[in-house]
Amino acid sequence: MNAKQAYKKFLLKAQTIYSLNEAAVITDWVFESIANIKKQDFIKNPEQEISKSTSEELNKALIQVIDHKPIQYILGEGWFYNMKLKVNENVLIPRPETEELVEWIVTTATHQAPAITILDIGTGSGCISIALKKQMHAANITAIDVSKGALDVAAENALTHKTQIQFLEFDFLNESNWKNLPQFDMIVSNPPYIPIKEKDGLDKNVTDYEPHTALFVPDNEPLLFYKKIAGFGKEHLNYNGKIFVETHVDYAEQTLELFKASNYNYVDLKKDMYGRDRMIMARL
């Protein structure tokens, strides 16, 4: 089988699950990762032969795509802030909206001392911490997560990108643990914020594969993590310290009011690239 035949087969099958544009992006990514054929190479030489072993690997990937498995988990990699990161079912797939949160933090932090201390709550793949460390070299970053599997992935990503970050297995919801953490200049988090009742409305590739502990909160406590973060910040933020969080679109205003009610001196709500209320900054 040549590249053109294999590509056409993969693209057509992928379109049974995804739109044409999404299927094309996935197909290009798979061929570059598995067959080592970049799009420009494919265009130049569509008739190039594909080995039997490569064809078998492509078929394995296609079966998983049809089964709604996210392409990032199939290939074991995802992109965030121009970095290739390892991802698996222990961590959420990094999303473009979270890149905007990082950009907001980096822009704001230029007004602070270079060697600021940062706590990343629920670090997952480590994407936020690693991106911040690469932009803010002197920052001292501590990243926590309740999942050891997630921390293993994050530590590997930090090593790959030559970033020194302290990773801690930590149950943040248990307030008795807070005394084990020091003071910080900044707290960042993309915490779980989807009420369980919304599960049935999500895509199958999310609910069947991404870690539920990193996605969902009880229906009766949609602001659970934000309440904890606001309370922790009152005790563990240095003077003029800041909190940056990503939020649920439907609960952004409530989250904003929560930080205001917690007596933070300044609270700001920011829209994402799609015009949705998605990020909040609170300052003591």
Side-chain angles (χ1 to χ4, degrees), residues 6-280:
Y7 187 96
K8 182 178 179 180
K9 173 187 173 183
F10 202 105
L11 180 61
L12 288 174
K13 289 286 187 180
Q15 284 181 68
T16 63
I17 304 297
Y18 297 99
S19 68
L20 174 58
N21 286 341
E22 290 176 307
V25 169
I26 288 170
T27 304
D28 289 342
W29 193 352
V30 167
F31 270 70
E32 181 172 345
S33 180
I34 293 177
N36 198 28
I37 300 175
K38 294 183 178 180
K39 189 169 185 177
Q40 57 266 37
D41 298 327
F42 174 78
I43 294 171
K44 290 177 183 176
N45 185 15
E47 307 296 331
Q48 60 186 293
E49 287 297 314
I50 292 178
S51 69
K52 182 180 179 181
S53 60
T54 298
S55 181
E56 289 172 351
E57 288 299 312
L58 289 172
N59 284 330
K60 287 179 185 177
L62 181 56
I63 290 170
Q64 294 177 88
V65 166
I66 295 171
D67 198 35
H68 296 270
K69 187 171 185 177
I71 189 61
Q72 292 90 340
Y73 290 155
I74 296 172
L75 301 178
E77 61 188 35
W79 286 89
F80 183 83
Y81 218 73
N82 295 320
M83 302 182 296
K84 184 188 287 186
L85 299 174
K86 175 181 177 178
V87 294
N88 59 30
E89 285 89 341
N90 288 302
V91 301
L92 292 181
I93 296 167
R95 271 130 173 123
E97 297 93 324
T98 309
E99 293 184 355
E100 294 184 76
L101 180 67
V102 169
E103 191 63 31
W104 193 18
I105 294 168
V106 171
T107 302
T108 304
T110 56
H111 304 294
Q112 294 183 260
I116 65 172
T117 53
I118 301 173
L119 175 66
D120 177 13
I121 299 171
T123 192
S125 65
C127 60
I128 293 176
S129 287
I130 295 168
L132 290 177
K133 184 66 175 178
K134 288 175 75 73
Q135 296 297 313
M136 303 156 61
H137 306 293
N140 187 334
I141 302 177
T142 300
I144 62 174
D145 205 291
V146 72
S147 166
K148 184 182 183 303
L151 290 170
D152 289 342
V153 173
E156 186 173 335
N157 283 327
L159 184 64
T160 298
H161 289 279
K162 298 179 174 60
T163 49
Q164 189 172 356
I165 296 164
Q166 181 183 21
F167 293 103
L168 297 175
E169 187 176 349
F170 195 93
D171 181 4
F172 182 74
L173 293 181
N174 185 348
E175 294 183 23
S176 65
N177 291 332
W178 291 0
K179 64 181 181 296
N180 298 316
L181 291 173
Q183 301 295 113
F184 297 94
D185 298 310
M186 186 182 293
I187 296 168
V188 302
S189 185
N190 179 18
Y193 55 66
I194 303 174
I196 294 172
K197 64 184 178 183
E198 296 183 12
K199 179 180 175 182
D200 291 341
L202 298 176
D203 290 338
K204 186 178 175 66
N205 59 358
V206 174
T207 57
D208 283 7
Y209 294 99
E210 300 206 52
H212 287 195
T213 55
L215 287 168
F216 299 111
V217 288
D219 290 337
N220 63 338
E221 290 188 285
L223 304 184
L224 173 63
F225 277 86
Y226 302 105
K227 290 177 182 177
K228 296 286 187 178
I229 291 169
F232 177 84
K234 295 292 289 186
E235 299 177 8
H236 286 264
L237 271 178
N238 291 324
Y239 174 74
N240 205 34
K242 299 180 180 68
I243 293 175
F244 289 87
V245 292
E246 189 170 321
T247 67
H248 190 304
V249 174
D250 295 339
Y251 296 95
E253 287 289 346
Q254 291 183 41
T255 307
L256 183 78
E257 293 304 318
L258 167 67
F259 281 103
K260 288 181 178 178
S262 300
N263 294 318
Y264 282 81
N265 292 323
Y266 176 78
V267 185
D268 190 19
L269 176 60
K270 190 175 178 68
K271 297 182 183 297
D272 65 14
M273 66 183 84
Y274 305 108
R276 302 174 300 191
D277 294 334
R278 284 299 295 271
M279 296 163 277
I280 285 174

